[in-house]
Amino acid sequence: MVVGPVTFLLLAQAAPGSPAGFAPLDRLADVLPVYERLLADLAAEGVAWAQLDEPALVTDLGEAELAAVRAAYERLCAPADRPALFVASAFGGLGRALPVLAGTPVEAIGVDLVRGGLDDLAGVEALAGKTVVAGVVSGRDVWRTDRERALAALLAVRERAGHVAVGTSCSLLHVPYDLEAETGLDPELRRRLAFADQKVAEVVELAALLDSAPGAAASTASTVPAAPGRTRAHASLRTRGPAPAQAARSPYPVRAAAQAAHLRLPPLPVTTIGSFPQTGELRAAGAALAAGELGEEAYEQRVRAEIAHVVALQERLGLDVLVHGEPERNDMVQYFAEHLDGFAVTRHGWVQSYGSRCTRPPILHGDVRRPEPITVRWTAYAQSLTDKPVKGMLTGPVTIVAWSFVRDDLPLRDVVFQVADAVRAEVRDLEAAGVSVVQVDEPALRELLPLRRAGQEEYLRWAVDAYRWATSSAGDRTQIHTHLCYSDAGQILAAVDALDADVTSVESARSGARLLGEPAVKGFERGLGPGVYDIHSPRVPTAAEVGESLEAALRVLPAGRLWVNPDCGLKTRTYEQVEAALANLVEAARRLRGTAGAAGSGA
Ligand code: GLN
Ligand code: ZN
């Protein structure tokens, strides 16, 4: 199993300094011999089948890319002595790439029939000579497969393909291992779930059902009834989203003036993204609480002590907008899921997030409601300790949904609006408790962007609407911040602008000046904090380096709208690193405030 040559090149980035117009796919002819050698080596070892993953084929491909698919697989299939080739796709339908692939001599093609439809297969005559690996068991969610529906799809594929094999829609990397371990879940919910082990059993079971199913003639009559126990009817139409006017705040200049008068921040205000180091001791206290070894009261005291420490540290370092440090949060999504109705959390349901980092995504299975305020007491406590503004810290509706397993009986948009409703209530309560800056993080905004252009605009429209619904109850003088980290913010800057947050902080310390080089940045009309401290590394930037990054930013942004902040939360760093780095951020900001170019009000 290896990534296929077309995806390998399509997802590669041209090295800096490559000639203009160069695309990695131009090097296909150099890459194919390497694949050929690999396949020959596998054949020599007696390997009968090789799987080449080509998920990039479910994106919008142009003629050149389709030609590359054809050329690549014609060539890899040419040697007589090679394993049979299985080209797998995932995360959507193959569309125009399917007839192209089917026209090559590859032996098997994997199609995602959960996200993609059967329509792609219609009229592709060449499939009659292939094995189609029909991905009818979802590898991206935790729901049991609807047997009837899956079998109907398999029977339809059988009419078109030489042979059908049952499969998952993508690798099972995205789902937890085994439902058996989750003994604490509500039995009603548990009956609806399947984790990786259960999904493998479903594949086996469906293959047996398909084997014993009557032939093609009978299958065309198959209907697709709902699975028992799953509500296909809309369980709630409570929140279909507001009319745009309801989600609008005053024009930005009006708010900016009100905030400047109220917050009285210096130019180039220094702030952080929210979390402070999660010490081992703090995590141990959380674990002891969960295990019942530490009482609520004692835990509460522990968290308050941490908040007091973080506030005192920020005051001492001279930051301008403080945070409470998020010591009570195990994870920025799970914490909210634990305090909202409609979510369940697992005990062992770990999945890989990126690299070696893992999370336990919550399961959003019912209507979402906020029974009571979630973060207010922590933020209000922090604010009671200082005269500087403390920024309340919330996770946005899109990110909460993107990093959860989500019910599939409602359109995603409706689910996001239910969550937005809960976040809106929290923003309102924070404001009522005297908090004048609230950050609503949306690092996953870009993650849910549909892979094909056709759906992107619509998605961005409702995602932005949901964010605005969550934040627009705030009065003019309440400053709304947002933070996007993994997002390639440049690509969706227009949507980021449409979020209408007063201040946006983005990851850019790692991607260097790329973001600032985006033409759209010039048109960005609100506060912007390009990250000037790469928190993904233990390295502490010097004040001089931070100053250089800020000077570069000042060439594109007016001083009145530039913020000084790290590029993400500090929770994975140590206090030693954080203290040194933040001191340098403050020093660099203060030095620049003294220069003429940086006069203005930070709002
Ligand atoms: N407020 C969160 C934190 O600081 C944001 C984390 C993130 O963007 N992933 O930890
Ligand atoms: Zn981040």
Side-chain angles (χ1 to χ4, degrees):
M1 207 153 80
V2 60
V3 63
V6 180
T7 294
F8 179 63
L9 292 171
L10 278 180
L11 300 189
Q13 280 184 11
S18 305
F22 168 77
L25 195 59
D26 298 347
R27 302 291 294 271
L28 185 64
D30 300 332
V31 167
L32 288 177
V34 182
Y35 276 87
E36 260 176 351
R37 219 170 309 135
L38 172 69
L39 293 173
D41 288 351
L42 290 171
E45 293 292 331
V47 171
W49 279 92
Q51 175 175 330
L52 294 159
D53 287 323
E54 290 281 15
L57 303 193
V58 308
T59 58
D60 295 312
L61 299 183
E63 294 310 323
E65 284 122 7
L66 291 171
V69 173
R70 190 176 305 114
Y73 287 98
E74 291 287 353
R75 166 131 184 216
L76 295 184
C77 289
D81 198 17
R82 61 165 176 90
L85 294 191
F86 165 32
V87 178
S89 64
F91 313 127
L94 278 168
R96 298 206 302 153
L98 183 60
V100 173
L101 256 187
T104 72
V106 299
E107 280 75 17
I109 299 175
V111 292
D112 175 345
L113 291 177
V114 177
R115 298 229 174 143
L118 286 164
D119 296 353
D120 280 354
L121 280 63
V124 185
E125 303 292 329
L127 287 178
K130 311 276 183 211
T131 290
V132 171
V133 181
V136 289
V137 171
S138 175
R140 279 308 289 270
D141 69 31
V142 290
W143 308 113
R144 278 182 59 179
T145 305
D146 180 332
R147 303 276 195 290
E148 304 290 328
R149 185 182 284 260
L151 189 61
L154 291 169
L155 290 168
V157 175
R158 189 159 77 180
E159 282 170 38
R160 303 199 167 101
H163 178 71
V164 188
V166 185
T168 52
S169 65
C170 60
S171 104
L172 292 172
L173 171 86
H174 313 278
V175 294
Y177 194 172
D178 188 1
L179 184 63
E180 291 302 314
E182 296 302 329
T183 48
L185 289 175
D186 170 45
E188 190 60 40
L189 170 63
R190 207 162 176 276
R191 264 194 292 281
R192 292 160 52 192
L193 299 176
F195 291 178
D197 262 11
Q198 289 70 39
K199 285 175 185 280
V200 172
E202 287 182 331
V203 167
V204 173
E205 187 191 329
L206 281 165
L209 278 174
L210 182 64
D211 269 350
S212 58
S219 75
T220 50
S222 294
T223 54
V224 185
R230 297 277 298 127
T231 33
R232 294 253 157 228
H234 287 181
S236 162
L237 296 176
R238 183 164 56 93
T239 10
R240 295 223 124 244
Q246 280 176 277
R249 303 179 69 202
S250 307
Y252 172 70
V254 174
R255 282 148 34 200
Q259 290 159 23
H262 179 52
L263 296 170
R264 308 199 154 280
L265 297 171
L268 309 183
V270 184
T271 190
T272 61
I273 306 304
S275 58
F276 267 69
Q278 285 261 339
T279 58
E281 200 247 306
L282 200 54
R283 273 197 301 272
L289 173 76
E293 290 153 13
L294 187 70
E296 292 270 354
E297 190 63 26
Y299 176 73
E300 180 105 8
Q301 285 314 319
R302 181 65 199 82
V303 171
R304 282 176 169 249
E306 191 73 17
I307 291 174
H309 170 244
V310 167
V311 168
L313 174 65
Q314 294 169 93
E315 286 210 306
R316 179 158 59 76
L317 292 172
L319 275 81
D320 302 297
V321 173
L322 314 193
V323 296
H324 79 292
E326 305 180 23
E328 78 287 10
R329 299 185 197 177
N330 36 22
D331 173 277
M332 66 186 287
V333 168
Q334 187 176 340
Y335 181 73
F336 287 91
E338 282 170 357
H339 291 84
L340 290 168
D341 291 346
F343 282 91
V345 294
T346 67
R347 293 196 54 195
H348 309 284
W350 296 98
V351 298
Q352 185 189 28
S353 139
Y354 66 92
S356 61
R357 310 254 336 202
C358 291
T359 61
R360 276 178 297 156
I363 300 172
L364 193 172
H365 59 85
D367 285 344
V368 175
R369 283 201 176 77
R370 187 196 70 141
E372 56 187 8
I374 302 170
T375 65
V376 177
R377 73 181 198 285
W378 307 121
T379 314
Y381 173 62
Q383 185 65 81
S384 75
L385 301 172
T386 175
D387 292 333
K388 297 230 171 129
V390 171
K391 177 161 71 167
M393 205 50 66
L394 305 177
T395 304
V398 173
T399 299
I400 289 182
V401 167
W403 292 350
S404 299
F405 291 115
V406 181
R407 63 194 288 184
D408 58 0
D409 58 341
L410 273 188
L412 196 61
R413 174 191 180 283
D414 294 10
V415 178
V416 169
F417 269 101
Q418 286 191 4
V419 179
D421 235 14
V423 175
R424 182 179 172 93
E426 191 73 13
V427 170
R428 204 189 43 222
D429 286 345
L430 280 168
E431 194 179 37
V435 175
S436 21
V437 184
V438 179
Q439 177 170 309
V440 180
D441 291 328
E442 279 296 19
L445 187 65
R446 195 181 161 281
E447 252 167 65
L448 290 189
L449 193 70
L451 292 171
R452 288 186 188 270
R453 281 186 291 276
Q456 293 179 350
E457 202 180 312
E458 192 203 336
Y459 159 73
L460 285 173
R461 197 170 326 117
W462 65 247
V464 164
D465 279 352
Y467 186 88
R468 292 174 69 140
W469 179 241
T471 53
S472 58
S473 65
D476 288 353
R477 50 175 233 185
T478 299
Q479 191 168 61
I480 299 289
H481 288 215
T482 190
H483 166 69
L484 301 108
C485 52
Y486 312 112
S487 310
D488 193 345
Q491 193 196 342
I492 54 163
L493 212 63
V496 174
D497 199 19
L499 293 177
D500 199 27
D502 300 300
V503 180
T504 302
S505 65
V506 285
E507 190 262 28
S508 76
R510 274 191 302 172
S511 48
R514 202 171 71 205
L515 176 78
L516 291 172
E518 294 281 341
V521 166
K522 288 209 173 170
F524 196 81
E525 289 182 343
R526 297 148 229 278
L528 192 63
V532 289
Y533 161 27
D534 176 5
I535 64 89
H536 308 83
S537 150
R539 200 178 156 274
V540 173
T542 63
E545 283 169 55
V546 173
E548 275 167 38
S549 305
L550 292 175
E551 275 166 17
L554 282 171
R555 286 195 275 279
V556 218
L557 291 172
R561 288 198 276 108
L562 180 62
W563 282 68
V564 181
N565 49 259
D567 70 348
C568 199
L570 303 169
K571 78 176 166 206
T572 55
R573 298 271 60 92
T574 65
Y575 268 109
E576 202 187 351
Q577 295 157 0
V578 161
E579 243 190 272
L582 292 181
N584 291 344
L585 257 60
V586 171
E587 185 185 327
R590 285 189 177 154
R591 222 182 271 162
L592 274 169
R593 277 174 202 160
T595 66
S601 76

